Amino acid sequence: MRSSLSRRGFLAAGSGVAAAAAVPALSGCSTLASADSDPGTLLVHTQLGTTAPGSPTYKAVVKEFHEENPGLRVKNLVNGDDLPQVYETSRLARKEPDVVMVNLYDKTLAWTDVGATVDVSGYLDDWGLRERVLPAALEEWTDGKGRLRAFPYFATNWPVAYNTALLERAGVDAVPTTGDQLIGAARKLRAKGIAPVTVGGNDWTGQKLLAQIIQTFLTPDEARKVYTSGDYSGSRGAREGIDYFVQLRDAGVFADKAQGLTSDTMTTQYNTESAAIQSAMSSALAKVAPKPAAHTDVGGWPLAPGASHSKPTILRSYTLIGFWISPNGVKKLSSVEKFLRFMYRPEVVSRFITESGRDMALVTDTVSKRFPLVAKAQQLGDRVGQVLLPDLYVPPTATQPLITATSTAFTRGTSAAAVRSALESAYRTA
């Protein structure tokens, strides 16, 4: 995959990061300098430690790691969505953490290409961990030059959750599998005062659902070309997919004012049973409250006639979180190896599944029994089709503009041509 950032571009991007974002997480350069010079400290930059699912488990296993390795301390620097920007700032100062736990998305797509992190393929082999990783995960984490960007860890299934009790209350006998059935179900749900499909039309959740629906008439190869190039008008399949989205939107399939909703709103509406359907990744499925979870089924997004897929579709991805090694981390390879070998142990991997409901990019037979909807998604198998997660193909500079374009797309009355124009503008103005 070509990088959209040159080394000069990376430096320019990093220099524009607000210093305020780095101060709380990094606690000043002196902290970084002391950790960098201490061979007994491994500095790990992670999103696990906030409210992210898996945070309590991560803290617990790090404590166990300390007990097994009394001479080695893991120091965690915790950030949320701003982690990539904070890391880039620290890298510019050559005071970056040794290991970074973050997903492959947006800014991080360019890190290995510009030397912000290193190719870990050789380490994966040297440490005997390759067989622990699912082949699909290795493929997704490997760039176009054959470099493995990070050690894969978290994955996700992204099906559609259907509250069957609400559907039955509205007189819908079965989970819809076609667009016509979905439109019919939406009308019946609205008649009962129930929102049909809740979605964060103003954030990444809406962008992913829009991308999924656009792929209704696209093969995987065609989808890659569209999301890489941003040419939504030149592809017949993309045009038909956008037409299908507009048809569903204007038929009232999505919750009112979806263009202003967020992932938090979506979760609240589904958990309070004011909405009957949501497109939910594994971490969202794990948060479904017990009452709606008891009568929720999971499946795929309904198809239109002539679709390129034979079954309703879901998204799957193996790039949710990986362990990236920085240039500073290369100086502490012995410590990094101990940490990653520990994190790859089957019993540690199983804890993230059983305690936190996470999907993993590693080989495991463990099922999320405490998280029944996550388990249901894991067991969908070939009962559903699969479309591409666009994250690996959309140029990083277009990621945020596409979310703005997504809000335009979810606005009732916006024509298909206007939706295409908004999506294409996200690439041109990035």
Side-chain angles (χ1 to χ4, degrees):
M1 178 188 305
R2 85 175 162 80
S3 169
S4 64
L5 289 178
S6 63
R7 184 174 298 274
R8 179 178 298 176
F10 174 82
L11 294 174
S15 64
V17 177
V23 173
L26 300 182
S27 303
C29 290
S30 60
T31 301
L32 284 174
S34 62
D36 178 55
S37 61
D38 179 6
T41 298
L42 190 66
L43 199 59
V44 178
H45 201 171
T46 180
Q47 292 175 317
L48 298 183
T50 58
T51 57
S55 295
T57 300
Y58 176 69
K59 292 177 182 178
V61 298
V62 168
K63 182 179 180 181
E64 288 187 9
F65 179 78
H66 286 156
E67 292 171 354
E68 285 191 19
N69 301 273
L72 178 58
R73 178 188 175 216
V74 172
K75 180 171 183 178
N76 290 301
L77 303 177
V78 181
N79 279 98
D81 291 341
D82 59 340
L83 184 151
Q85 291 182 330
V86 175
Y87 175 77
E88 289 182 6
T89 300
S90 65
R91 173 58 192 156
L92 288 168
R94 299 299 187 264
K95 299 296 183 183
E96 79 275 3
D98 305 308
V99 175
V100 190
M101 296 175 62
V102 71
N103 60 330
L104 183 58
Y105 174 65
D106 195 6
K107 287 175 173 289
T108 69
L109 287 167
W111 280 359
T112 304
D113 199 38
V114 299
T117 53
V118 303
D119 177 3
V120 304
S121 182
Y123 303 133
L124 187 75
D125 290 323
D126 292 345
W127 301 343
L129 297 177
R130 185 173 291 272
E131 297 304 315
R132 296 280 297 118
V133 186
L134 294 171
L138 289 173
E139 182 178 352
E140 289 192 2
W141 281 96
T142 300
D143 70 12
K145 297 179 180 179
R147 298 171 299 199
L148 184 63
R149 294 177 172 103
F151 285 75
Y153 207 61
F154 284 177
T156 188
N157 281 315
W158 204 321
V160 183
Y162 296 91
N163 186 318
T164 55
L166 294 182
L167 291 174
E168 290 172 4
R169 186 190 306 173
V172 180
D173 298 330
V175 167
T177 58
T178 69
D180 287 343
Q181 291 174 0
L182 181 58
I183 291 172
R187 289 171 180 161
K188 292 180 178 181
L189 287 163
R190 286 184 173 277
K192 292 292 185 179
I194 303 168
V197 179
T198 180
V199 59
N202 197 33
D203 69 10
W204 53 276
T205 55
Q207 188 251 335
K208 299 301 185 294
L209 181 57
L210 173 60
Q212 181 176 357
I213 296 171
I214 289 174
Q215 291 184 66
T216 301
F217 300 95
L218 291 172
T219 66
D221 285 342
E222 290 170 338
R224 288 186 189 95
K225 292 177 183 178
V226 169
Y227 292 123
T228 300
S229 67
D231 184 4
Y232 294 84
S233 298
S235 164
R236 177 180 177 181
R239 294 196 305 273
E240 291 178 339
I242 292 171
D243 289 344
Y244 180 44
F245 168 82
V246 168
Q247 177 191 1
L248 296 176
R249 184 202 65 199
D250 290 348
V253 161
F254 304 110
D256 292 341
K257 299 180 180 179
Q259 71 273 19
L261 302 184
T262 66
S263 58
D264 289 340
T265 313
M266 179 184 76
T267 299
T268 298
Q269 287 188 344
Y270 194 83
N271 275 346
T272 58
E273 299 193 273
S274 60
I277 304 168
Q278 68 168 342
S279 169
M281 65 190 302
S282 301
S283 56
L285 291 175
K287 293 180 180 179
V288 175
K291 182 183 175 184
H295 40 253
T296 289
D297 199 2
V298 295
W301 186 261
L303 297 178
S308 297
H309 310 272
S310 59
K311 301 172 184 176
T313 63
I314 70 168
L315 292 161
R316 286 193 181 105
S317 175
Y318 299 94
T319 58
L320 204 59
I321 277 186
F323 294 97
W324 308 64
I325 301 178
S326 75
N328 275 340
V330 173
K331 303 172 187 176
K332 300 181 181 178
L333 277 182
S334 176
S335 297
V336 173
E337 178 181 357
K338 288 180 181 178
F339 181 62
L340 292 186
R341 281 182 179 274
F342 179 87
M343 296 300 293
Y344 263 46
R345 287 181 185 176
E347 62 270 23
V348 173
V349 172
S350 292
R351 287 191 63 176
F352 281 101
I353 298 170
T354 58
E355 297 174 12
S356 303
R358 301 303 317 224
D359 279 307
M360 306 301 291
L362 306 181
V363 176
T364 178
D365 293 326
T366 304
V367 178
S368 303
K369 293 182 180 179
R370 285 175 50 191
F371 302 90
L373 299 185
V374 177
K376 284 184 178 181
Q378 291 169 342
Q379 296 163 352
L380 280 171
D382 60 5
R383 286 181 288 158
V384 291
Q386 182 176 337
V387 296
L388 295 178
L389 186 73
D391 295 2
L392 299 180
Y393 310 103
V394 172
T397 51
T399 299
Q400 292 306 314
L402 272 179
I403 291 177
T404 301
T406 295
S407 180
T408 299
F410 274 96
T411 302
R412 293 280 293 271
T414 305
S415 69
V419 172
R420 292 197 301 272
S421 177
L423 294 173
E424 291 172 344
S425 293
Y427 288 72
R428 291 195 300 268
T429 61

